Amino acid sequence: MSLVVGQSLGLTLVGDGLSLRSSKRNVGKSKFFSVNRRRLARAALVQARPKEDGAASSPSPSSRPTTASVVQYRRADLADDLQAEARALGRAVDASIYSPELIARKHGSQPFKALRRSLEILGALGGFALKLGIDQKQGNLEKNMKKRAGELRRIFTRLGPTFVKLGQGLSTRPDLCPPDYLEELAELQDALPTFPDAEAFACIERELDLSLESIFSSVSPEPIAAASLGQVYKAQLRYSGQVVAVKVQRPGIEEAIGLDFYLIRGVGKLINKYVDFITTDVLTLIDEFACRVYQELNYVQEAQNARRFKKLYADKADVLVPDIFWDYTSRKVLTMEWVEGTKLNEQLAIESQGLKVLDLVNTGIQCSLRQLLEYGFFHADPHPGNLLATPDGKLAFLDFGMMSETPEEARFAIIGHVVHLVNRDYEAMARDYYALKFLSPDVDVTPIVPALRDFFDDALNYTVSELNFKTLVDGLGAVFYQYPFNVPAYYALILRSLTVLEGLALYADPNFKVLAASYPYFAKRLLTDPNPYLRDALIELLFKDGKFRWNRLENLLQQGSKDRDFSAKDALQPVLKLLLDPNGEELRLLVIKEAVRVSEAIALGTVVDTYNSLPEFLRSLVFNGNGNGPLTMSTTELQSTLELRDQVSRIWGLLQSSESFDPAILQPILQVLQQPEARRLGGRVAGGVGQRLAARFLQQLLRATTPSSAPTP
């Protein structure tokens, strides 16, 4: 078994914005392997194509697999995959787990090493703190904030992987950092100097217990990308010819990160004890973040994250998640499918392939909303380098080391929060922060309400389609920074994800608004989700002061129908079931009142339409020459009635226009209406309509007879 050496090869990776120059290596193959095969195999980009074995020829009809054989093959393939995953888990059995006690015990026994690193950190951050002190003394803190934020970003980069990760984490914490720092730290990149290839290749062999030549028929001589925790090579599997990305962990990274977090925890204890203006428990945040970074160090965990993400979200045709090769994955080595693609922020390169950035961004927004609000498992490192546009127009997600989860109760609370925002119910918004775990139960939200009102009253002067998401996040961040908020990591990260996507879209369309793209998803969930919390939120949105807001329902249907998963069937049945619930008497009273109004509007509208369709002489004959028309109503009241009738007609039209609409879907609704409570409800509506129409008829009769019986002056 041997590697084949290519004399000259140029490689360009569009997705990572990196290129390797063509190089010519005048080394003969026989001399190469006889002198030092392994050394040169790792120093050159080697190229070997798998045998075709007639793969390109079409199979004969007799050789085509049957359905049963395909199912059997898939089952066997799944079983093999599970076994390979189990072997990978075995290779990662000794993966480290973050424990403050263990790192304290380990690094506390190495005082000179800890002191040397402390001096390095203090030397970098001490000068920065001194500048801040001078700015504050001279009254230039606000003026120089942008400049200082840039300096802090460069300091974090120099201090290495732990501080790069720490800075990226701080960039999602509006409760800890002012907006200028959030924006600057969000620019932190993982790009760090590479480590020697020989160490990387030795790590692969040591972790997988296989020689490099037995695994790959080709491997790049140098990494095509380097990040804070590892670096990536492009390779070709020997057994299948599959092109793969191989991520190898940086040597000594666990030791370095452990020491840094040991020292950072010491600072966190001091902040909690002596710094009063930071109300968040800093030590808890450090431990939470360190735990997540340690999970990133276990590449088998990252592989499992990728598999779970693919299962949940790659069911959509426009989302791609690379496959994992478990037999070549371990604690420090991750082998996954190679994805050809272009970074999402490279607009010209994307458009040159006939693709549209906005289509890809919309795909990312919908996937992010599903991650946050549907399944709760989401990508916690959403920067443009982890989002690629593939040549066939799919959005590829990469790098699953840092993931997070949204608690189930928080998913519904976020949607309810959006409803309260739309209703401008700032007291309810403030109370939502208890359910979202932003505030502890003992915090009084009374002083927070005016701050929310001041900001959102101004922001909501725009329509949803005009509201800029970054402006909204920055405004919320200012509120969070001023009051004792403790923003959960999941919420901060998803806000950052949507902000990044909006920023990418603005390159292509300066008028793009992420909220406008998100609203159809919220509308669909409100209309179709049977969850009791969301049903209550829908009622709160549609009813106000005992009146039904038909314009809200029409808008929800218009927006919800833009979501490709919207179903009129799903929107109708949960509402009816809610109406017929034994505890729904209060809602039924509101619905009965509104149903009477609608029925009356339809009946009176029909009368008006019939009257208007009559010739002029018949109108005078039928209504005894009364020129005011058939009804005793003011012009304003008549116009309002007809508008209600027309609005209800439009809503019915929206339901009918749904792709899923079919008269057959009404069958379950008819079954629900056969229930005794439904029949009683229908009777009450009919009675109410009858009373209203009788009153109208009596008014009309009195209007017609009064003039003729009055005495002549």
Side-chain angles (χ1 to χ4, degrees):
M1 187 175 292
S2 63
L3 294 167
V4 180
V5 182
Q7 276 191 323
S8 177
L9 182 65
L11 169 66
T12 299
L13 176 64
V14 180
D16 288 273
L18 300 174
S19 62
L20 301 180
R21 297 178 181 175
S22 299
S23 60
K24 200 162 189 174
R25 303 187 183 272
N26 298 315
V27 182
K29 282 190 289 183
S30 58
K31 183 179 179 181
F32 167 75
F33 286 112
S34 62
V35 176
N36 195 331
R37 179 178 66 180
R38 183 166 297 174
R39 180 180 174 188
L40 286 175
R42 294 164 187 159
L45 178 63
V46 292
Q47 185 93 351
R49 299 291 180 190
K51 295 180 180 179
E52 297 294 336
D53 292 332
S57 59
S58 300
S60 63
S62 60
S63 66
R64 288 174 185 161
T66 63
T67 302
S69 66
V70 169
V71 172
Q72 186 176 4
Y73 172 78
R74 287 177 178 171
R75 286 176 179 170
D77 193 50
L78 177 61
D80 290 343
D81 197 52
L82 291 174
Q83 291 175 5
E85 182 183 354
R87 291 192 293 271
L89 285 168
R91 288 189 288 271
V93 70
D94 60 342
S96 297
I97 298 174
Y98 175 71
S99 167
E101 294 78 15
L102 288 178
I103 65 169
R105 191 179 309 135
K106 178 179 181 179
H107 297 288
S109 63
Q110 301 173 341
F112 293 109
K113 188 175 182 180
L115 177 62
R116 187 166 56 249
R117 179 60 172 166
S118 297
L119 292 175
E120 182 183 357
I121 295 171
L122 287 173
L125 294 178
F128 176 76
L130 181 62
K131 290 179 182 179
L132 286 182
I134 294 172
D135 286 345
Q136 187 172 25
K137 187 174 182 179
Q138 296 177 347
N140 293 327
L141 203 59
E142 293 290 331
K143 178 182 176 182
N144 293 337
M145 187 172 289
K146 183 75 174 176
K147 178 182 176 181
R148 299 295 177 233
E151 291 176 2
L152 183 62
R153 174 178 59 81
R154 291 187 287 274
I155 289 171
F156 279 174
T157 302
R158 287 199 305 272
L159 286 175
T162 307
F163 285 85
V164 169
K165 289 292 181 186
L166 181 63
Q168 290 174 338
L170 286 172
S171 72
T172 68
R173 302 300 310 211
D175 53 332
L176 294 179
C177 297
D180 284 336
Y181 280 84
L182 294 176
E183 187 173 343
E184 194 66 37
L185 292 176
E187 298 298 319
L188 271 172
Q189 299 297 317
D190 278 342
L192 291 173
T194 61
F195 58 90
D197 300 319
E199 292 185 38
F201 295 145
C203 178
I204 293 173
E205 292 187 331
R206 185 171 58 252
E207 286 287 311
L208 302 180
D209 198 22
L210 294 168
S211 68
L212 201 68
E213 296 83 11
S214 67
I215 304 171
F216 306 115
S217 58
S218 73
V219 61
S220 57
E222 57 188 36
I224 50 85
S228 55
L229 302 184
Q231 57 195 36
V232 180
Y233 295 85
K234 184 177 183 180
Q236 189 177 47
L237 292 177
R238 180 171 292 282
Y239 86 96
S240 66
Q242 177 90 31
V243 179
V244 294
V246 185
K247 184 158 74 169
V248 186
Q249 193 170 112
R250 192 176 290 273
I253 189 68
E254 186 178 318
E255 178 82 9
I257 285 177
L259 175 59
D260 283 345
F261 276 120
Y262 167 68
L263 298 174
I264 292 170
R265 286 192 92 254
V267 176
K269 290 178 182 177
L270 294 175
I271 291 174
N272 276 354
K273 189 172 183 179
Y274 297 110
V275 181
D276 295 331
F277 67 87
I278 295 181
T279 57
T280 303
D281 185 346
V282 175
L283 204 58
T284 300
L285 287 180
I286 292 171
D287 287 340
E288 179 184 319
F289 184 72
C291 184
R292 193 168 286 127
V293 172
Y294 265 73
Q295 288 176 0
E296 279 196 83
L297 292 173
N298 182 358
Y299 285 175
V300 172
Q301 177 65 54
E302 180 175 347
Q304 290 182 309
N305 291 341
R307 183 196 60 184
R308 183 181 175 191
F309 192 91
K310 185 182 183 78
K311 181 180 178 182
L312 292 177
Y313 309 116
D315 57 328
K316 303 300 180 185
D318 47 9
V319 173
L320 186 147
V321 179
D323 287 324
I324 301 297
F325 293 85
W326 294 102
D327 278 328
Y328 307 117
T329 294
S330 72
R331 180 168 62 99
K332 297 183 179 181
V333 177
L334 173 61
T335 303
M336 61 198 315
E337 176 187 0
W338 179 265
V339 177
E340 291 289 351
T342 310
K343 280 184 179 181
L344 216 56
N345 59 354
E346 297 178 2
Q347 182 186 347
L348 294 178
I350 291 174
E351 291 179 349
S352 68
Q353 302 173 61
L355 305 176
K356 294 182 179 179
V357 173
L358 290 183
D359 290 343
L360 293 158
V361 169
N362 271 311
T363 298
I365 289 170
Q366 299 308 314
C367 190
S368 294
L369 290 170
R370 292 183 70 204
Q371 291 174 54
L372 173 66
L373 301 173
E374 213 159 305
Y375 297 106
F377 181 68
F378 67 91
H379 201 295
D381 192 14
H383 62 73
N386 290 337
L387 300 169
L388 299 184
T390 67
D392 57 352
K394 293 183 179 181
L395 180 65
F397 286 81
L398 305 177
D399 193 354
F400 302 93
M402 189 173 284
M403 309 295 289
S404 190
E405 298 203 39
T406 311
E408 184 177 11
E409 61 274 15
R411 298 176 216 162
F412 301 120
I414 290 170
I415 297 178
H417 195 59
V418 172
V419 171
H420 296 147
L421 173 61
V422 172
N423 283 344
R424 302 193 186 206
D425 188 347
Y426 302 120
E427 288 80 6
M429 282 183 68
R431 290 193 298 271
D432 288 337
Y433 296 130
Y434 294 133
L436 290 168
K437 310 297 184 188
F438 284 24
L439 297 170
S440 60
D442 59 336
V443 174
D444 181 15
V445 297
T446 305
I448 298 173
V449 173
L452 293 173
R453 180 178 291 108
D454 290 343
F455 172 69
F456 283 111
D457 273 348
D458 181 54
L460 293 177
N461 285 331
Y462 301 96
T463 65
V464 171
S465 61
E466 295 174 329
L467 192 56
N468 182 286
F469 188 73
K470 187 178 184 304
T471 302
L472 189 63
V473 172
D474 288 347
L476 272 176
V479 175
F480 292 163
Y481 187 66
Q482 293 172 15
Y483 294 95
F485 282 91
N486 184 15
V487 180
Y490 70 83
Y491 189 83
L493 289 166
I494 205 68
L495 288 182
R496 180 190 174 199
S497 175
L498 293 174
T499 304
V500 166
L501 288 167
E502 182 176 63
L504 293 170
L506 289 174
Y507 284 108
D509 179 6
N511 296 317
F512 182 87
K513 299 294 183 289
V514 72
L515 286 178
S518 305
Y519 199 60
Y521 177 87
F522 282 97
K524 180 203 71 174
R525 286 293 301 275
L526 281 170
L527 287 168
T528 63
D529 198 309
N531 180 272
Y533 188 97
L534 296 187
R535 291 274 62 81
D536 291 344
L538 178 61
I539 293 169
E540 188 176 343
L541 186 66
L542 296 179
F543 285 92
K544 184 178 182 180
D545 300 329
K547 293 183 179 180
F548 189 84
R549 294 186 280 190
W550 289 95
N551 61 321
R552 287 280 174 88
L553 178 58
E554 183 178 7
N555 185 46
L556 283 174
L557 287 169
Q558 286 174 340
Q559 294 295 329
S561 62
K562 295 177 183 177
D563 190 288
R564 59 188 173 189
D565 296 328
F566 175 77
S567 168
K569 175 182 177 181
D570 292 339
L572 290 171
Q573 293 188 58
V575 172
L576 281 175
K577 290 179 180 177
L578 182 67
L579 283 175
L580 303 177
D581 188 273
N583 298 320
E585 178 62 24
E586 184 178 352
L587 176 63
R588 281 193 291 273
L589 291 174
L590 293 174
V591 170
I592 288 169
K593 179 181 177 182
E594 201 60 35
V596 169
R597 284 185 63 230
V598 170
S599 301
E600 181 191 35
I602 293 172
L604 296 181
T606 303
V607 171
V608 171
D609 289 344
T610 303
Y611 173 79
N612 290 335
S613 66
L614 293 175
E616 187 66 33
F617 75 93
L618 280 180
R619 295 184 196 176
S620 300
L621 181 64
V622 172
F623 295 100
N624 298 321
N626 181 11
N628 292 327
L631 301 173
T632 308
M633 299 176 71
S634 66
T635 303
T636 302
E637 186 181 7
L638 178 60
Q639 184 178 357
S640 175
T641 300
L642 294 179
E643 284 179 357
L644 175 60
R645 190 269 311 262
D646 294 342
Q647 197 162 42
V648 172
S649 298
R650 287 196 302 271
I651 289 171
W652 178 243
L654 285 170
L655 290 172
Q656 288 181 306
S657 65
S658 170
E659 292 182 4
S660 62
F661 185 83
D662 187 314
I665 71 171
L666 297 177
Q667 186 64 35
I669 298 174
L670 294 175
Q671 293 174 2
V672 171
L673 292 176
Q674 295 301 315
Q675 297 178 17
E677 186 60 44
R679 290 198 295 271
R680 287 194 291 271
L681 184 61
R684 292 163 73 180
V685 171
V689 173
Q691 291 175 11
R692 292 285 291 267
L693 290 178
R696 293 281 186 191
F697 178 75
L698 184 58
Q699 284 181 332
Q700 189 71 22
L701 185 63
L702 290 174
R703 190 191 73 170
T705 58
T706 298
S708 60
S709 59
T712 303

